[in-house]
Amino acid sequence: MAAVGEPDVDLDAHTDVWVFIEQHDGEVAAVSWELLGKGRDLADQKGEDLVALVLGEDLEESGIPDEAIDRGADRVLVADDPVFAPYRADAYGQQFRHLVEQRKPDIVLIGGTHTGRDFAGRVAVPTHAGLTADTTELEITPDQYEMRRPAFGGDALATIICPNHRPQMSTVRPGVFDEPSRGDGDGAIEQVEVVVEENDTKSEVLEREVGDVADITDAEVIVAGGMGVEGEFGPLERLAELLDAELAGTRDAVEAGWIDPARQVGQTGKTVRPKLYVAVGISGAIQHVEGMDDSETVIAINNDPNAPIFENADYGIVGDCDEVLPQLIEALERQEVAA
Amino acid sequence: MDENGTDGWNIVVCVKQVPDAADVSIDPDTGRLNRSDAEAVMNDPDYNSVEAALELREQVGGTVTALCMGPPNAEEVLAEAVAMGADDGVLMTDRAFGGSDTWPTSLALASGAAELDADVVLAGEETTDSSTGQVPPGIAAHNEWAQLTYVEELEPDPENDRLIARRDIEGGYERVAADLPVSVAMSYGENVPRTAGLHRKIYAETEFDPEEWSAEKLGIEDEVGLAVSPTQVGGMDTAEPVPREQETVDSADELADRIAEVL
Ligand SMILES: Cc1cc2nc3c(=O)[nH]c(=O)nc-3n(C[C@H](O)[C@H](O)[C@H](O)COP(=O)(O)OP(=O)(O)OC[C@H]3O[C@@H](n4cnc5c(N)ncnc54)[C@H](O)[C@@H]3O)c2cc1C
C-alpha cells in the first residue's frame, strides 16, 4: 500500500529520456545540444530511447528536427504552429504537459536558460513531477537516478532524488556538458497534435529584441572584470584582443552597466570552462567562483592581498589593475613581437 | 476598477526568511551546513519585489499584502515589508508545511495569493538559500494564471486588466502583456529598494501583528510537506574546492610568461 502522500504512479510505465530543444527564430540554444549528448548517455544506460522535442513555427525549414537526429536522437517530436512563435510560457507549458501526460517519459532535460526555467514548472506542477533546478550533474546509479545541483552559492552540492514521482525533470546549466558532434542519424520525426489554441493563451509578446548573443560558455580564453575595474573596460578589451579572448564580468559589473548581461559569469550567470580565465578586480565571491571554477588555469589581478579570488587562482598578482594591466599588455605585445 | 469592482489592484508580494548567505558555513568534519549561527534575514532579491509591488500600488492604487510561508519568527520579514510600505502581512505557518520542496511551497503560496484575491503576486527571482527560481512559475501553474519571470520593469495596463513587463531574455529583452491575475518574478537588482520610513518602522515594530494561516485554513493540509514533495534531498556534499596553485607572482612580466605557458 502506498504511504501517505505517495502518489499512485506506475513508475515502470514511464520510459525514455526526453530533451527539450530550445529554439528562437530557428536558432538553437547551445545547451539543448549539450543535453542531447548527455541524454544519449542516459538513454543508453537505461536501454531506452532518446527523444527530442521541438516547439515552434516553420520547423521543417529550419532543419532543426534533422539536426536533432544527426546529433543522436532516436525520435523527434515536433509541434509546429504559429502559437509557439515567439516563445510564451503558457503555450509551451500546455503543449509540453500534454505530451508528457500522453507519452509518459521517465527523464526530462531542459536547458537552464531563462526560457527553460520559465516554463519547466508549468509542466512539472500539473503532472506532479519532480523538478530539480539548475543541475550540474546527472547520474544513473544502480538504485536510482541522481540529479546534483549546487547549493548555498556553490559551497555544497546537493543530490536530489525523485523516488515516487514521474517524470524526473531537471533544468540543467548551460556549459557543463559537451555538445555531441553532428553525424548521420537515422531517427524518426513525428508531427504531434497541437493542443494549444491562441484564444486560450493568457499572454501576448508585444516586442522582442535580440542582438548578437555572445556565447562565453564556449570560449577558450576569458578576460573578466569586476568592480575593481571601475568601469574602465578599455584595457581589458585590449588584453582580450591580444589573447583572442571573450570578455566577461561579475554580476556587480553587469549591474553597473559596464558589460552585457549575457557575459555574466556565476550562479545566476553563465558557467564557463576556458583554458585560461583572467579575473581582473574581482573579489571572488562564491556566487562568481561557482561559474568559473571549471576553468583550467585562473589568473587573478587584485589590489587586496586577502581577496578570496587568490585562493581560487593559480597565479595571482597583488596590484592596482590600472598599473598591472598596461604592463601586462606591453609584456605580451613584446612577446608577440619576439615570437 | 478591477474585476472585483473595487479601485486598484490586490497586490501580494511573497517574502522569505533565509539564513544570511554570508554566515552560512560548511562544517569541514561533517560536511553539514552550519546554519545555526547564521542570522535570519529577508531574502535579498525579495527587496526588489517589495519595491516593485509598492511602485505598482503607486501607479494603479490598491493594496500591497506581504505573504510569507515560514516558522513563527518569520514574521520579522513581514514586519520589514510593512516597514517599507506594505499595507499588511500574512504569515502561513504550520508544521504541516515542513520539508516542502518547490511543488508544495508554490501550492501554499498560490493558495494564499488566491485567498487574498490577488490580481498580481510578486516574488523575487530566486532565494539565496535554495536558488531554484521555481516558485513564481509554480504559483502561476497551480492557479492556472499567467506568469512573467526575469522582469526588469513593469507597466500596468489596468484598462485592459493586463500587466505588461519588460523581461530579460538571452541576448536581449522582450515586452510581454499578461492577463490578470498574474505571477511575477522580479529580476534581482533591477530596482533600488526604498528604505523603511521611520513612521512605518515604528508601526511595524510596535503595532503590526500579522494574521496567521494554517494549512488547514487553506484546505491544503494533505497536499504540503515532505511526504508529498516529489523531490527529496538524497545527500549533501561539501563542494570540493578545485585545487589551484595559489602562487603569487611579483611582476606583470612574470604573469605574461605564465599566460604564454598556458596558451
Ligand atoms: C542570489 C545571488 C546570486 C548572485 N549571482 C552572481 C553571479 O552569477 N555572478 C557574480 O559575479 N556575482 C553574483 N552574485 C554577487 C556576488 O555575491 C558578489 O557581490 C559579486 O560577484 C561581486 O562582484 P565583484 O567581484 O565585481 O565586486 P567586489 O566584490 O566589489 O570586488 C571588487 C574587487 O576589486 C578589487 N579592486 C578594487 N579596486 C581595484 C583596483 N584598482 N585594482 C585591482 N583590484 C581592485 C577589490 O579588492 C575587490 O576584491 C550573486 C549574489 C547573490 C546574492
Side-chain angles (χ1 to χ4, degrees):
Chain A
M1 208 188 86
V4 179
E6 261 178 41
D8 216 3
V9 178
D10 178 3
L11 302 182
D12 295 331
H14 290 254
T15 54
D16 295 342
V17 177
W18 283 20
V19 173
F20 170 63
I21 307 297
E22 176 181 341
Q23 64 85 31
H24 303 279
D25 283 326
E27 291 282 323
V28 175
V31 63
S32 307
W33 299 140
E34 294 161 15
L35 294 187
L36 208 55
K38 183 67 195 177
R40 186 69 264 168
D41 282 357
L42 298 174
D44 288 345
Q45 283 180 61
K46 287 159 60 70
E48 293 173 1
D49 278 359
L50 174 65
V51 180
L53 259 92
V54 197
L55 277 64
E57 189 183 12
D58 298 333
L59 292 169
E60 202 176 324
E61 292 91 290
S62 72
I64 295 169
D66 289 319
E67 186 166 354
I69 286 175
D70 289 347
R71 289 183 188 262
D74 297 306
R75 282 183 287 137
V76 186
L77 304 181
V78 178
D80 197 316
D81 195 276
V83 80
F84 301 125
Y87 163 81
R88 280 176 296 176
D90 48 346
Y92 268 49
Q94 194 190 335
Q95 179 69 38
F96 205 138
R97 168 196 177 175
H98 165 76
L99 291 170
V100 163
E101 285 174 345
Q102 187 184 50
R103 301 174 188 237
K104 301 188 171 38
D106 183 25
I107 289 175
V108 176
L109 307 180
I110 298 171
T113 59
H114 283 196
T115 296
R117 294 182 64 167
D118 189 50
F119 83 87
R122 298 202 78 115
V123 182
V125 161
T127 59
H128 211 150
L131 172 57
T132 306
D134 232 13
T135 42
T136 54
E137 291 176 27
L138 303 164
E139 194 190 348
I140 293 172
T141 70
D143 302 325
Q144 60 201 2
Y145 175 54
E146 298 184 348
M147 296 160 273
R148 267 179 274 284
R149 65 185 304 266
F152 284 92
D155 265 355
L157 203 60
T159 298
I160 309 294
I161 52 172
C162 179
N164 306 316
H165 294 248
R166 291 294 179 273
Q168 312 177 80
M169 298 178 59
S170 45
T171 57
V172 184
R173 285 244 176 116
V176 294
F177 297 115
D178 288 323
E179 197 174 287
S181 53
R182 193 169 176 170
D184 275 326
D186 62 349
I189 296 173
E190 182 187 344
Q191 301 285 335
V192 302
E193 183 202 357
V194 172
V195 297
V196 185
E197 302 256 359
E198 183 57 48
N199 280 337
D200 298 338
T201 59
K202 299 181 174 73
S203 57
E204 181 190 356
V205 177
L206 306 175
E207 189 187 348
R208 199 179 152 88
E209 268 301 316
V210 185
D212 273 333
V213 192
D215 187 9
I216 58 170
T217 60
D218 270 354
E220 289 266 298
V221 185
I222 288 178
V223 173
M227 292 310 279
V229 171
E230 292 177 10
E232 289 298 320
F233 265 78
L236 278 84
E237 280 167 27
R238 178 69 194 128
L239 181 63
E241 211 179 306
L242 279 172
L243 301 176
D244 200 11
E246 288 284 352
L247 278 179
T250 62
R251 176 156 203 157
D252 293 15
V254 167
E255 262 158 35
W258 303 337
I259 187 151
D260 192 58
R263 295 176 184 272
Q264 180 189 317
V265 171
Q267 182 191 324
T268 44
K270 300 271 161 61
T271 302
V272 296
R273 300 190 287 178
K275 255 165 60 183
L276 176 67
Y277 190 88
V278 185
V280 187
I282 292 176
S283 59
I286 46 175
Q287 295 93 349
H288 184 80
V289 171
E290 194 187 320
M292 48 71 87
D293 228 9
D294 291 337
S295 307
E296 253 170 65
T297 302
V298 176
I299 285 185
I301 303 171
N302 196 303
N303 64 4
D304 173 7
N306 297 318
I309 190 71
F310 288 121
E311 281 156 41
N312 298 288
D314 295 290
Y315 307 107
I317 184 163
V318 179
D320 192 321
C321 59
D322 291 339
E323 290 164 23
V324 177
L325 275 183
Q327 290 168 5
L328 178 63
I329 289 167
E330 207 193 284
L332 288 166
E333 280 170 343
R334 242 187 292 126
Q335 285 187 354
E336 246 196 354
V337 172
Chain B
M1 301 254 275
D2 72 358
E3 59 199 3
N4 312 314
T6 53
D7 280 335
W9 286 355
N10 287 336
I11 302 162
V12 171
V13 60
C14 300
V15 290
K16 187 185 179 191
Q17 189 182 48
V18 296
D20 191 345
D23 289 347
V24 176
S25 58
I26 305 245
D27 186 320
D29 298 327
T30 62
R32 290 241 173 85
L33 291 164
N34 271 328
R35 297 204 210 189
S36 49
D37 33 280
E39 203 192 331
V41 296
M42 180 149 99
N43 177 48
D44 217 23
D46 295 350
Y47 286 94
N48 297 117
S49 50
V50 174
E51 174 61 31
L54 298 172
E55 286 175 18
L56 208 52
R57 184 185 63 191
E58 283 156 18
Q59 290 169 291
V60 298
T63 56
V64 171
T65 308
L67 182 64
C68 176
M69 178 176 117
N73 71 339
E75 74 168 281
E76 286 167 26
V77 297
L78 289 172
E80 203 164 345
V82 167
M84 280 175 76
D87 298 284
D88 206 350
V90 173
L91 181 64
M92 300 196 298
T93 188
D94 195 326
R95 279 184 185 281
F97 293 133
S100 292
D101 75 353
T102 56
W103 196 98
T105 299
S106 49
L107 173 70
L109 292 167
S111 306
E115 183 75 20
L116 289 164
D117 206 9
D119 296 297
V120 179
V121 50
L122 289 124
E125 175 177 331
E126 56 182 45
T127 54
T128 53
D129 59 345
S130 48
S131 60
T132 69
Q134 281 168 25
V135 167
I139 292 171
H142 278 294
N143 284 345
E144 296 185 40
W145 290 354
Q147 73 184 54
L148 297 163
T149 60
Y150 300 101
V151 169
E152 298 176 337
E153 236 174 75
L154 289 173
E155 306 160 42
D157 179 12
E159 285 80 48
N160 296 307
D161 271 332
R162 297 203 303 185
L163 181 63
I164 300 168
R166 182 185 152 111
R167 301 183 62 225
D168 181 41
I169 54 176
E170 274 83 11
Y173 71 91
E174 64 181 15
R175 278 176 66 243
V176 179
D179 299 343
L180 301 187
V182 58
S183 171
V184 176
M186 286 301 295
S187 271
Y188 181 40
E190 278 307 325
N191 55 25
V192 183
R194 66 195 66 186
T195 46
L198 187 60
H199 267 81
R200 290 300 296 174
K201 227 171 157 167
I202 293 172
Y203 168 77
E205 275 164 25
T206 57
E207 285 173 56
F208 168 69
D209 196 12
E211 210 174 305
E212 288 189 10
W213 290 354
S214 65
E216 200 180 346
K217 137 106 192 162
L218 293 164
I220 53 172
E221 65 273 26
D222 296 330
E223 292 176 88
V224 292
L226 185 65
V228 302
S229 293
T231 63
Q232 288 172 19
V233 178
M236 191 73 98
D237 297 300
T238 314
E240 286 293 323
V242 175
R244 296 285 176 199
E245 303 289 339
Q246 302 187 15
E247 188 184 319
T248 311
V249 303
D250 295 322
S251 71
D253 275 334
E254 230 176 298
L255 210 53
D257 291 342
R258 296 296 192 193
I259 289 176
E261 277 166 31
V262 173
L263 295 182

